[in-house]
Amino acid sequence: MHTPVTPPLSVLAQRRLSRRNVLAGGLATAAATFFGAACAPGDGGPAVPAALLGFPAVAPSVADEVVLPPGYRYQVLFAWGDPIVPSGPAFREDAGNSAAEQSLQAGDHHDGMWFFPLEGRRAGLLCVNHEATTEDLLHADGRAAWTPEKTAKSQAAHGVSVIEVEQDGEGRWHVVESGHARRITMTTPAEITGPVAGHPLLRTGADPEGVRVLGTLNNCASGPTPWDTYLTCEETFNKYFYYGEQPPPAGSAQERYGVGSEDSYPWYTTDARFDMRAEPNEYHRFGWVVEIDPFDAAAAPKKRTALGRMEHENAVVVPGGRGEAVVYMGDDTQFEHFYKFVGAEPIESALAAGRSPLDEGTLHVARLEEDGSGRWLPLVHGQPGLTAADGFADQADVLVRTRMAAAAVGATPMDRPEWCTVQPGTGAVFFTCTNNTARTESVDAANPRLDNRFGHIIKIDEGGDPSATSFTWDVFLLAGDTASGATVPADQAFGSPDGLWFDREGRLWIQTDGTQPTVNGAEQNNQMLTADTATGDIRRFLVGPPRSEITGITADPDGRSLFVNIQHPGDSGTPEDPRAGSNWPDFSATGRPRSATIVITREDGGVVGG
Ligand code: FEO
Ligand code: CA
Ligand code: CA
Ligand code: CA
């Protein structure tokens, strides 16, 4: 079991940015005070806690490099195409690796991840999500002349890597030979568990029982469990399924889940299970949270259907008041929702009886009221709005069409929920709302800006009880520049917050993916910042290569090695030259930019960020 470390945040005296300040046009004031300075001069406030942030902020950058504060360094640990064990197939710069070789190498688009320490050594198992692929770089001739082999290679570049990593005497980390190492891809047999397993909506020609599915895809962010397993979250699964030449009917679940959009993957052209005209139920088997046991390479991944079906971002598990599993989750689409699952029995008793703590319980969705109160609304079949007369056949139907159920009970549509994280010591839950330029007609207290280009962060306070069904909430910060009404200092301006994680000492790490504001007229690439929520101090810690997304964050037990993912450097470049956007990390004349896991350390060996 993990032993949570109580951070020195017990002295934390939060004075949150008042929602009324934001809504009453107090944005300039709010900007000057960040999210409510805890220790404004002369306010007789609490004593200043020891400084959590011990590094100088880095400047905005558009360089084709990973920029860090002075005294920090990074190494590239595990890039797309690197073998999962040293004896595996080597990466070919010309993208000449076969699908079979790709299935033994790092996938593409590294995203969420977690470090599971191995006792007695400076070593651990690292689970790394591979969210998506850049097909123009994945194949030697890109997307041209699509073949079954290209579908197979693309599928093999999705999923999860489990690797064993070890630190040497010089402080460098290495991928080592390991019986735990494995790739989980789009063809790995997985089990469907929980209330939806076996339901007619999950039955297909290949699986008439509706309990087994091949693979997991669009593995976005993640979360560890207190029982040392890894949750990998299926996000934009809809982009892999072809609905047909006509879009789905207005108001249908297929429309709400976004199938049939023009930027679909071409898998369906060679693999009929992604053609909804041939197999309409296969898409119901994606959009779940999937549990992986990194310590048992033979264990099948398990899709935990009690946690609902959506474009899952991450999943944060904490013990509830009765010892049950409580899981916070966001659904990353414009106007979708925050969720919380509360398990039916204590984690210990479920595990002792051979049951999953995630298979029985109640999924809730958040309603955030204008006055700063809120409720977790249960998504239980038979309750008002979720009856047969309302069009929901049974509980499995409620879970397969979680979004429709959430809307039916009055959940609050949010500005694209991405990661959430729970603050050590207080239990407060922070959610990023990355941006929402489709909010053109009306605002509400929890989504206070029209044309929300830069996003914001919401803080939910359940009074320290994760099992609670009510809460209070506040806007923690508004991202962007001063002109957009941001509540962060102008020189630390950022946009599109996505990854969010409290480290063991209580530093809040914020990672970005998307539109960034200029700083004093200067453009900037995506970045990672660190915040001290007690003092309001926020500092830019890292800037990535052009068009990369910064995502995934985990540390070794003493916090001296920070693992971070650089996703899709260069993105897909330009149609003429897919490598044009970046050459990171290899900088070779012929090489392709590669998504990669990096490890950040301090030259003096200290705690990263401290
Ligand atoms: Fe995969 Fe919403 O980020
Ligand atoms: Ca994300
Ligand atoms: Ca994002
Ligand atoms: Ca991404």
Side-chain angles (χ1 to χ4, degrees):
M1 305 282 278
H2 290 293
T3 307
V5 177
T6 303
L9 275 182
S10 50
V11 295
L12 177 134
Q14 287 287 350
R15 300 230 261 113
R16 299 181 298 277
L17 169 65
S18 161
R19 183 176 318 99
R20 284 155 294 283
N21 273 353
V22 176
L23 293 179
L27 293 171
T29 307
T33 58
F34 184 37
F35 35 84
C39 304
D43 74 350
V48 179
L52 272 180
L53 312 185
F55 62 92
V58 300
S61 166
V62 291
D64 193 13
E65 188 44 281
V66 174
V67 178
L68 293 169
Y72 282 86
R73 61 189 173 193
Y74 78 93
Q75 64 166 113
V76 177
L77 177 69
F78 187 57
W80 161 55
D82 286 348
I84 57 169
V85 288
S87 59
F91 174 65
R92 284 182 53 172
E93 256 186 14
D94 64 356
N97 289 114
S98 66
E101 289 170 334
Q102 174 64 74
S103 71
L104 299 170
Q105 298 171 326
D108 204 357
H109 287 218
H110 302 40
D111 206 320
M113 65 178 160
W114 197 253
F115 180 96
F116 295 87
L118 292 171
E119 295 216 355
R121 298 159 53 202
R122 291 199 62 79
L125 300 181
L126 190 66
C127 295
V128 183
N129 283 358
H130 302 292
E131 182 181 38
T133 49
T134 300
E135 300 293 331
D136 287 322
L137 297 171
L138 186 68
H139 316 286
D141 61 348
R143 301 173 72 102
W146 198 259
T147 63
E149 168 73 7
K150 287 188 177 181
T151 295
K153 185 173 182 184
S154 180
Q155 293 182 350
H158 282 72
V160 179
S161 291
V162 181
I163 55 175
E164 185 170 332
V165 295
E166 183 161 31
Q167 192 175 30
D168 66 23
E170 271 76 60
R172 286 186 65 83
W173 288 85
H174 304 272
V175 178
V176 299
E177 298 292 331
S178 174
H180 296 301
R182 63 167 160 163
R183 277 300 319 284
I184 290 158
T185 74
M186 258 310 294
T187 52
T188 302
E191 297 171 13
I192 298 166
T193 78
V196 189
H199 191 271
L201 287 170
L202 266 67
R203 296 177 193 163
T204 65
D207 175 28
E209 294 179 6
V211 294
R212 273 174 293 278
V213 57
L214 291 182
T216 176
L217 60 66
N218 212 266
N219 304 83
C220 180
S222 56
T225 69
W227 53 97
D228 266 348
T229 62
Y230 179 73
L231 301 180
T232 180
C233 303
E234 297 180 331
E235 192 191 16
T236 315
F237 65 94
N238 50 304
K239 294 284 172 63
Y240 300 80
F241 291 90
Y242 182 69
Y243 182 77
E245 289 190 4
Q246 300 299 320
S252 66
Q254 290 90 340
E255 180 197 53
R256 179 104 189 214
Y257 279 89
V259 295
S261 53
E262 289 175 356
D263 52 351
S264 294
Y265 273 71
W267 295 359
Y268 74 93
T269 62
T270 70
D271 187 343
R273 73 175 164 131
F274 298 97
D275 186 340
M276 294 178 71
R277 298 167 301 184
E279 186 49 87
N281 281 349
E282 184 71 8
Y283 104 114
H284 293 143
R285 293 141 66 88
F286 295 88
W288 303 107
V289 172
V290 185
E291 185 174 11
I292 291 169
D293 184 350
F295 295 93
D296 181 0
K302 297 182 175 63
K303 301 202 175 189
R304 301 299 188 192
T305 61
L307 276 54
R309 176 169 168 268
M310 61 195 77
E311 292 188 49
H312 277 287
E313 188 69 23
N314 74 338
V316 176
V317 188
V318 298
R322 294 174 288 109
E324 77 278 34
V326 172
V327 190
Y328 300 95
M329 302 168 284
D331 181 357
D332 182 6
T333 294
Q334 293 165 339
F335 306 108
E336 293 297 343
H337 310 296
F338 299 158
Y339 290 88
K340 178 172 87 168
F341 168 85
V342 181
E345 66 176 321
I347 294 169
E348 299 281 346
S349 66
L351 294 175
R355 290 187 290 269
S356 166
L358 303 177
D359 277 348
E360 280 184 52
T362 304
L363 183 64
H364 302 75
V365 66
R367 180 179 172 93
L368 289 76
E369 306 289 358
E370 295 291 299
D371 65 358
S373 66
R375 282 179 293 151
W376 291 110
L377 306 171
L379 299 179
V380 175
H381 184 258
Q383 298 209 352
L386 302 178
T387 68
D390 299 310
F392 292 94
D394 50 28
Q395 183 61 23
D397 192 18
V398 166
L399 291 168
V400 168
R401 296 187 294 135
T402 302
R403 286 178 168 179
M404 328 288 279
V409 300
T412 302
M414 304 299 297
D415 285 349
R416 283 190 61 198
E418 298 243 33
W419 289 44
C420 51
T421 185
V422 174
Q423 185 171 38
T426 72
V429 190
F430 291 66
F431 276 92
T432 48
C433 291
T434 197
N435 54 51
N436 185 1
T437 53
R439 185 174 289 282
T440 56
E441 293 184 354
S442 65
V443 297
D444 53 49
N447 301 277
R449 290 189 289 187
L450 289 175
D451 185 30
N452 184 3
R453 295 174 60 213
F454 296 121
H456 59 282
I457 298 177
I458 294 282
K459 177 180 176 180
I460 286 179
D461 184 346
E462 300 178 298
D465 176 11
S467 311
T469 55
S470 62
F471 54 84
T472 60
W473 65 270
D474 220 330
V475 175
F476 175 65
L477 64 77
L478 299 173
D481 51 18
T482 305
S484 70
T487 60
V488 290
D491 61 345
Q492 304 303 313
F494 66 96
S496 306
D498 188 335
L500 199 61
W501 179 64
F502 277 104
D503 68 22
R504 293 165 183 82
E505 297 182 349
R507 279 174 288 269
L508 180 62
W509 297 83
I510 303 168
Q511 301 173 311
T512 75
D513 167 31
T515 305
Q516 298 302 302
T518 57
V519 175
N520 295 325
E523 304 282 330
Q524 56 178 339
N525 295 339
N526 275 298
Q527 57 191 292
M528 180 167 75
L529 305 100
T530 313
D532 178 340
T533 62
T535 64
D537 193 2
I538 185 167
R539 302 181 192 179
R540 186 180 295 105
F541 179 85
L542 174 155
V543 186
R547 301 183 194 175
S548 65
E549 161 186 350
I550 314 303
T551 184
I553 182 165
T554 185
D556 66 347
D558 60 16
R560 294 168 197 274
S561 295
L562 188 71
F563 299 74
V564 170
N565 283 326
I566 307 296
Q567 188 185 99
H568 59 61
D571 205 345
S572 55
T574 66
E576 299 74 33
D577 182 1
R579 304 171 212 185
S582 170
N583 229 339
W584 189 90
D586 301 325
F587 302 111
S588 66
T590 57
R592 292 146 192 262
R594 293 200 277 168
S595 296
T597 301
I598 63 171
V599 193
I600 299 167
T601 51
R602 259 168 67 172
E603 286 163 7
D604 67 3
V607 172
V608 176

